[in-house]
Amino acid sequence: MCGIVGYVGPKSTLDVLLGGLRRLEYRGYDSAGVSVIDPVEGLLTRKKAGKLDALISEVTEHPLPISHIGIGHTRWATHGAPTDGNAHPHLGGPHQKLALIHNGIIENFAELKAELTAAGTRFSSETDTEVAAHLIAREFENTGDLPTAFASVVNRLHGAFTILVIHEDAPDVVLAARRNAPLVVGLGDGENFLGSDVAAFVEHTKRAISVGQDQIVTLRRDSVEIHTFAGDKVTPEEFVVDWDASAASKGGWSSFMAKEIADQPQAVADTLMGRLSSSGTVTLTEIDGLSKADIASLDRIMIVACGTASYAGDIAKYAIEKWARVPVQVELSHEFRYRDPIITPNTLVVAISQSGETMDTLMATRYAAERGAKVLAICNTQGATLARESDAVIYTHAGPEVAVASTKALVAQITAGYLLALFMAQQRDTLSSAAAGELGRELLTMPAKVSTVLERLEAVATLGRDMADAKSVLFLGRNVGFPVAMEGALKLKELAYIHAEGFAAGELKHGPIALIETGQPVIVIVPSPRDSETLHPKVISNIQEIRARGAIVIAIAEDGDQLVGDFAEHVIFVPQAEPMFAPLLTVIPLQRFALELSTAKGLDVDQPRNLAKSVTVE
Ligand code: AGP
């Protein structure tokens, strides 16, 4: 996820671009850049790795002339480490007269890059993005018309992209295209704007247009034309932005956490993108370093992680053991290396980390590598220390997660765990291709089901606000619902600073049920009644046991569960899904419950006390 700004008009372009990038910095901050067109000097570009301040220093040291057309980008790296060379804008053509910025993933960049390389194009970055810059520049040289060249190329791109282009030989127009990534237009008087969201230009205008899927924008000072990729004219619908620049840094949301909860369908979809075919086959080129023979000879997988990431590991354990039949143990990173674990050359260590900088997890993987284990990272931060030190990396594509309490990174980690489990099952032939394909196709439906859950959160939000005075909340789950219960408890601890504890529901009678007294809130993740494991009746019995002792029960249950409503005071329903995938849905009401209860207590949900986004010390 990256920040994108485009401008054409009478203002100083650089001021507009940098101001917009500042408010979009939450979308990505590992490098930034701008390109402008000067009537005399032509296309000029400044770009720098690091946060936006590094770019500002660069343009201070190497000033740009006043210009009235330009594009700007702040990056969250997906392909290519965060370096000056990989920063956007990328330049196209032999004379570098074209500048291009991109948010998303061009899935078919490898074949396009091969085509260009065969034609003699030389690349200066490791990114997928640069391919589009060269293709459009070459097409412009062939056609002499930038809009035509632009449309021709964007029709060839697969994946997710918002792309903006300017060209020195067409100095009055910014072209933009949108497929599976956000793009909005800002409408001014004698000026017009583009952005990945309205935060890019809301200080200049509140009149906006949302660009639709597979649409192209031709933006000039006094005109905005929108066409489909096929060339049909589109009559856009204008809307007025109803919040001001101060809220802009969070994209209009009350908190980064609220925004990131809402980003979860995209986080799941982007993590699946390019790795799961429509037939349900998983491709993980990132772990080509682990051969089929390596995977077949694995005697054990040890998952090391901390906090929320460790719960993603717990869920991955269920999936890998069930489908790939490899023994898996999940270890808290900080415990792992102090217990003298048994590690053999056939042990695979999987390290899960959003930041890739958690020192406990880094030390655990270094310990394992020193003892001969291969290390596979599941990481959300391109180029992070963990990624650089591992034998292979599966990047999650949740985009930058700013709130300390992890939400979208978690669902992306869980998604990556499913992909790994299915891939290993394919490699080890432990699932029939029919069964693996069916699971893969079901996984493809999860982003839409996550979106459905987001539309049903008002009731649980109200419960969170109503329970603001609660001194303790318990969470129960079974099977893959157990890690979800643990995660729900962690969210409440770290956001509302109250006692919260997750239990395996079956553990209740072995002690924890003594905690139940009248009025004790208990959130129960209820397994699917359709699941062959018949866990459902057991959890219903658990609900009856705690209700009999005065608990207030909030159940998270599956659509169509006819029984749960007879026993729980409150039921939050989520869509039916493959039971193994249910955590992607059942965790979301728990996130919103914790956010609302914390907000009702007047606490800072984005920066809870005593916590840091990345624990870089042991
Ligand atoms: C989760 O909400 C917390 N922020 C914390 O438990 C976090 O998941 C843990 O510190 C691991 O961080 P990492 O994923 O960056 O390694």
Side-chain angles (χ1 to χ4, degrees), residues 491-556:
K491 281 290 155 298
L492 202 54
K493 277 183 268 204
E494 62 178 332
L495 291 169
Y497 317 155
I498 62 172
H499 170 257
E501 200 156 348
F503 300 104
E507 190 62 8
L508 260 181
K509 291 191 285 292
H510 300 283
I513 198 164
L515 289 171
I516 305 298
E517 54 192 23
T518 301
Q520 170 67 55
V522 183
I523 297 180
V524 184
I525 293 87
V526 181
S528 165
R530 300 173 298 120
D531 191 359
S532 62
E533 299 301 325
T534 66
L535 291 176
H536 183 264
K538 292 185 189 328
V539 174
I540 293 297
S541 300
N542 295 143
I543 292 175
Q544 289 173 290
E545 289 155 10
I546 57 179
R547 283 292 311 282
R549 291 163 175 79
I552 297 171
V553 175
I554 301 169
I556 314 294

Side-chain angles (χ1 to χ4, degrees), residues 153-167:
V153 171
V154 296
N155 273 290
R156 296 187 62 193
L157 306 181
H158 302 159
F161 50 87
T162 297
I163 284 177
L164 268 60
V165 158
I166 55 175
H167 195 292

Side-chain angles (χ1 to χ4, degrees), residues 306-309 352-356 358 361 404-406 413 487 490-491 494 612-615:
C306 298
T308 288
I352 303 177
S353 176
Q354 187 284 131
S355 63
T358 298
T361 301
V404 166
S406 186
Q413 290 163 353
E487 166 61 7
L490 175 60
K491 281 290 155 298
E494 62 178 332
K613 183 57 186 168
S614 179
V615 183

Side-chain angles (χ1 to χ4, degrees), residues 32-51:
V34 293
S35 286
V36 300
I37 296 176
D38 174 71
V40 175
E41 297 186 53
L43 181 70
L44 301 168
T45 298
R46 301 286 185 273
K47 57 184 188 174
K48 202 69 185 163
K51 291 186 183 288

Side-chain angles (χ1 to χ4, degrees), residues 361-386:
T361 301
L362 291 176
M363 296 306 286
T365 52
R366 289 169 187 166
Y367 178 90
E370 286 159 10
R371 284 153 184 78
K374 284 197 182 300
V375 177
L376 167 63
I378 294 177
C379 184
N380 192 51
T381 308
Q382 177 92 15
T385 304
L386 175 67

Side-chain angles (χ1 to χ4, degrees), residues 404-422:
V404 166
S406 186
T407 50
K408 64 175 183 174
L410 168 66
V411 294
Q413 290 163 353
I414 295 171
T415 302
Y418 294 143
L419 287 169
L420 180 61
L422 287 171

